[in-house]
Structure formats: structure tokens, C-alpha cells
Amino acid sequence: DSGVTQTPKHLITATGQRVTLRCSPRSGDLSVYWYQQSLDQGLQFLIQYYNGEERAKGNILERFSAQQFPDLHSELNLSSLELGDSALYFCASSVRDFYGYTFGSGTRLTVV
Amino acid sequence: DQQVKQNSPSLSVQEGRISILNCDYTNSMFDYFLWYKKYPAEGPTFLISISSIKDKNEDGRFTVFLNKSAKHLSLHIVPSQPGDSAVYFCAISGNTPLVFGKGTRLSVIA
């Protein structure tokens, strides 16, 4: 157990729907990062939050949004889902910016 | 464009031999380099790192080499063991969120 908890582990949904992925960071970590891993692709950075504030933004689609709550857990919201959004979504946390990531085990999203 | 490239999608090595995984990057501003290992159904786990002020870092069977002039990073595993079979990602930062390569799948054959 890495200490980073992601729920749900698996999600199957239809095109056009909206889902929410949840991440609880390791105790003491203030930064949360979201990454997407599609088939045959590396981990693509989506967005980072640090202590509740958006810190950095990557290749995140406008249909996707995220937030970090006062208890430091984070949610990634994916809407108007398309088949191409099927992927593994990983959350990572760290104490300091950009250093010493600990990853969760991911949420596998399948859009049908 | 890919800032971090792992040009070998897969590698097979005999148990006990050396495994060499390679990674190339484009941005000379990167200053912190890492390798992560990923097993199926698990998240990536940190393996070893090196900062730009060094050219080599060792941790047991794992050694990372950095050639800044060539913008090249490599991971050596000696001796390779069947439990090392996994996908290996190089990751790079320049005071930015980590940028990952696409990974190399290592198979260590007993």
C-alpha cells in the first residue's frame, strides 16, 4: 500500500456521461498530481494542486476539471465522455513540488 | 513533440545478465531525472534518481547514468532477476511536474 488511495479501481460508463475519480494523498503530502495513461502512451500530466490551489496545468481537456478540498483529497471530473477517454488515470502525491511522487494504483476508465 | 523518449518498447534479458534501459530528452533545462517501475494493476513506484550535478548514482543492483551533453539517461540492472520484469518509465523534471517517457517493458527470462 503506497498510502495514496484512488477510488474506484474500475469504472465502465457510456459515451456522453460524466464521472468523478477520487484521490486521497499520502498523509502529510500537500501536492496532488493527475496523470492519464492511454494505450501505448506514457503518463501524460493533466493537472497539479498544491494545498488546495491549482499549481500547474498540462494537457487537460476542457471537458475535464479537478479540485483539491480542504482535507487535501482531490477529485477529477470527466464529462461528455468519449471512447478516446478510456485510459488509466493515476493520482500521485508529494510533500514538495515536483519531487518524490508516490502514485496510487489508478482508476481504469472504460467508455463504451 | 515528445520531450522524453524511450525508443525501445520492450527488452528481453536472461536472468543474471545486465539489463540496460535507455532514455533521451530534448530540453537541457531538465535537472532531475528518475526511473519508475510499474507492475500490472499497480501504480508506478520510484526506483532511483539522479540530479544534473552528477553523472552516476548507484543503489544496489540499480545504477543510473546521466550524459548531459548527449541528453541521455540510462538504467543498468545487474544482475537481472525475474522479479525485475515490469515496465520501466524514465521521468524528468526541470522545476515542473514530472514528464514521463512511454516506458520500456523488461522481461527477464529464467
Side-chain angles (χ1 to χ4, degrees):
Chain A
D1 181 6
S2 68
V4 178
T5 304
Q6 288 190 249
T7 57
K9 290 195 183 304
H10 303 276
L11 199 48
I12 301 176
T13 190
T15 55
Q17 295 297 305
R18 173 189 167 94
V19 297
T20 298
L21 313 183
R22 182 187 169 104
C23 170
S24 293
R26 203 176 52 160
S27 178
D29 287 356
L30 299 178
S31 273
V32 170
Y33 312 80
W34 286 98
Y35 281 80
Q36 179 193 56
Q37 185 184 18
S38 303
L39 194 64
D40 294 332
Q41 295 294 314
L43 293 147
Q44 300 289 319
F45 170 66
L46 296 178
I47 197 162
Q48 178 205 357
Y49 279 82
Y50 179 84
N51 202 20
E53 300 289 326
E54 183 183 302
R55 180 77 116 196
K57 212 165 187 175
N59 299 320
I60 188 166
L61 299 172
E62 284 192 15
R63 299 183 286 109
F64 296 0
S65 64
Q67 54 186 326
Q68 187 178 28
F69 294 87
D71 67 352
L72 300 179
H73 91 271
S74 178
E75 293 181 356
L76 179 67
N77 300 296
L78 315 176
S79 61
S80 303
L81 285 166
E82 302 175 359
L83 296 177
D85 297 327
S86 296
L88 271 167
Y89 291 84
F90 287 103
C91 165
S93 70
S94 68
V95 172
R96 288 163 38 194
D97 267 345
F98 320 132
Y99 178 82
Y101 286 22
T102 301
F103 279 88
S105 57
T107 293
R108 180 174 293 280
L109 173 67
T110 303
V111 183
V112 297
Chain B
D1 67 341
Q2 277 184 270
Q3 296 187 72
V4 180
K5 291 184 183 177
Q6 292 179 257
N7 290 319
S8 298
S10 62
L11 176 67
S12 286
V13 171
Q14 289 284 341
E15 181 180 6
R17 307 293 287 267
I18 184 170
S19 295
I20 300 176
L21 296 94
N22 295 301
C23 179
D24 296 297
Y25 60 96
T26 57
N27 189 340
S28 59
M29 297 300 291
F30 289 136
D31 60 3
Y32 185 53
F33 307 86
L34 309 90
W35 286 94
Y36 278 79
K37 176 169 142 177
K38 185 182 179 306
Y39 292 117
E42 294 183 13
T45 55
F46 170 75
L47 190 57
I48 192 169
S49 65
I50 188 169
S51 73
S52 59
I53 62 173
K54 291 184 157 187
D55 54 19
K56 178 181 172 182
N57 187 28
E58 284 183 77
D59 184 2
R61 296 185 297 113
F62 303 91
T63 303
V64 56
F65 294 92
L66 176 63
N67 182 333
K68 289 184 290 293
S69 60
K71 297 193 185 70
H72 180 80
L73 182 70
S74 64
L75 174 69
H76 293 207
I77 307 173
V78 182
S80 301
Q81 298 174 354
D84 296 329
S85 297
V87 177
Y88 289 78
F89 292 96
C90 69
I92 298 178
S93 176
N95 202 27
T96 60
L98 292 180
V99 180
F100 286 83
K102 290 189 178 183
T104 295
R105 182 178 301 278
L106 175 64
S107 299
V108 180
I109 304 160

